[in-house]
Amino acid sequence: MWRTVLRRIVIMIPQIILLSVLVFIMAKAMPGDALTGLLDPSIDPAALDAQREKLGLNNPWYVQYWDWITKAVQGDFGQSFRFKMPVSELIGERMMNTVWLSIVTLILTYLIAIPLGITSGRYNDTWADRFITGYTYIGFAAPLFIFALLMLWVFGFHFGWFPTGGSVAPGLVPGTFQHFMSKLYHLLLPAISMALIATVSTVQYLRSEIIDTKQRDFIITARAKGASESRVYNRHILRNSLLPIAAFFGYEITGLIGGSVFIESIFSYPGMGYLFLNSIALRDFSVVTALVLLYGVASIIGALISDIVLSIVDPRIRIK
């Protein structure tokens, strides 16, 4: 297995290099540059050109890319032109909010999806199965940002059960129990909104796996030998059906990356996704390129985690 992991890591290196090149080129293709709208429009054009020359914005793109990637490898993503601080520090301030949001969302996703998937698969073609399947169809059809806006309006503005913005109540001392509970309270509604949509694919996949496993020969043989129904489900059907779900763990991380961008923006939650959209609107190229690169690397690592988990939980599978 370790040979497989090492081979996958080696393959990841050119993927990350290609990703960094594409990210940089697309960022440079955006209208304007890092100084657009930053300086006084009445400034002397010669002074503006001098500033661009000083920042290296007049260099060929491959020269700018090399300067950027060599510093990025060392953890230096440059300076944010809008926030007037190093990009690494700016992202570091927001990263933990996104990490906590992703962790809580992932926990809620599995807490909701696994019981629903087991119920729907075990009692297929019943009213419970039809109700759960109907929920998944609605989840597939509902865009995440529309569903999140609806959740925000109903539970945030109408009933007032949850905060409608921010990550913590002001005035609380970091490290205290009240501070921790306030952060959990603020991220609960965004996490629930994202989890309710993220569960639908896991529910459908688990349902299909259980129904398919119930019809296999070894299940029919176990029943013929007189095994109890609970033993057949718990030791044979459920165990074999949950194996592919474990491999989805890494891909769930990848899905949360894209979902958090919209969720954080809708709920004004100060994480990396909210920073990403604001940086695009402000043309803060240093922040945009750093965040897209981090998101891409996280997606590649998520796929690697899924392959490793799948090879661990199912020894029959060896990824070439």
Side-chain angles (χ1 to χ4, degrees):
M1 187 188 72
W2 293 111
R3 184 180 300 175
T4 300
V5 173
L6 181 60
R7 183 162 56 245
R8 286 299 306 273
I9 292 175
V10 172
I11 295 174
M12 283 171 52
I13 296 176
Q15 291 177 335
I16 294 175
I17 294 175
L18 178 60
L19 172 67
S20 65
V21 173
L22 294 176
V23 166
F24 190 83
I25 292 176
M26 287 189 293
K28 287 300 176 184
M30 293 173 62
D33 57 28
L35 292 179
T36 302
L38 183 62
L39 301 178
D40 188 348
S42 62
I43 193 173
D44 183 13
L48 187 61
D49 290 337
Q51 186 68 16
R52 284 195 171 95
E53 187 68 30
K54 179 181 177 181
L55 296 173
L57 299 177
N58 292 332
N59 294 333
W61 72 268
Y62 50 86
V63 175
Q64 297 184 50
Y65 167 77
W66 179 252
D67 293 338
W68 171 72
I69 197 63
T70 52
K71 294 179 180 178
V73 171
Q74 305 172 32
D76 180 11
F77 291 98
Q79 189 84 4
S80 171
F81 293 97
R82 299 290 175 171
F83 295 94
K84 307 297 184 183
M85 62 184 300
V87 175
S88 55
E89 293 183 12
L90 180 62
I91 294 176
E93 292 179 354
R94 311 291 185 95
M95 182 177 294
M96 287 312 300
N97 286 337
T98 298
V99 169
W100 280 114
L101 176 61
S102 300
I103 291 175
V104 174
T105 302
L106 203 59
I107 293 173
L108 292 174
T109 298
Y110 283 109
L111 287 178
I112 297 171
I114 292 178
L116 291 181
I118 292 174
T119 303
S120 183
R122 182 169 183 175
Y123 305 105
N124 61 302
D125 296 329
T126 64
W127 283 108
D129 176 41
R130 293 189 183 97
F131 177 79
I132 295 172
T133 304
Y135 156 68
T136 60
Y137 287 160
I138 294 174
F140 278 123
L144 177 60
F145 64 94
I146 296 295
F147 182 74
L149 285 171
L150 182 63
M151 293 285 287
L152 177 64
W153 179 77
V154 173
F155 298 105
F157 291 105
H158 185 69
F159 290 110
W161 293 350
F162 295 95
T164 57
S167 63
V168 67
L172 296 179
V173 180
T176 62
F177 180 73
Q178 290 80 5
H179 185 271
F180 171 77
M181 292 304 297
S182 179
K183 290 188 74 71
L184 181 62
Y185 182 47
H186 278 73
L187 64 83
L188 201 54
L189 185 59
I192 292 173
S193 302
M194 192 154 48
L196 288 175
I197 296 297
T199 56
V200 295
S201 57
T202 305
V203 171
Q204 283 281 14
Y205 193 84
L206 182 55
R207 175 185 183 273
S208 300
E209 282 292 318
I210 291 176
I211 294 174
D212 180 64
T213 306
K214 286 194 302 184
Q215 301 170 357
R216 294 185 180 178
D217 292 340
F218 70 94
I219 300 298
I220 298 174
T221 303
R223 287 198 174 107
K225 289 182 177 181
S228 64
E229 195 65 19
S230 60
R231 181 182 178 87
V232 170
Y233 265 96
N234 296 332
R235 298 201 58 181
H236 299 289
I237 297 177
L238 188 58
R239 179 182 296 181
N240 285 276
S241 300
L242 286 176
L243 289 179
I245 301 299
F248 274 6
F249 178 77
Y251 292 108
E252 291 283 359
I253 297 175
T254 304
L256 292 177
I257 290 173
S260 65
V261 174
F262 298 104
I263 289 292
E264 290 178 4
S265 178
I266 290 170
F267 289 92
S268 299
Y269 186 78
M272 292 195 301
Y274 190 52
L275 174 65
F276 175 66
L277 291 181
N278 284 340
S279 299
I280 291 178
L282 297 173
R283 292 191 178 91
D284 199 341
F285 294 97
S286 300
V287 179
V288 171
T289 51
L291 285 173
V292 174
L293 181 62
L294 290 177
Y295 283 147
V297 171
S299 299
I300 294 174
I301 294 175
L304 175 63
I305 292 174
S306 291
D307 292 343
I308 294 174
V309 171
L310 184 58
S311 64
I312 292 175
V313 299
D314 193 348
R316 297 171 301 174
I317 298 175
R318 287 294 178 265
I319 302 166
K320 302 300 181 180

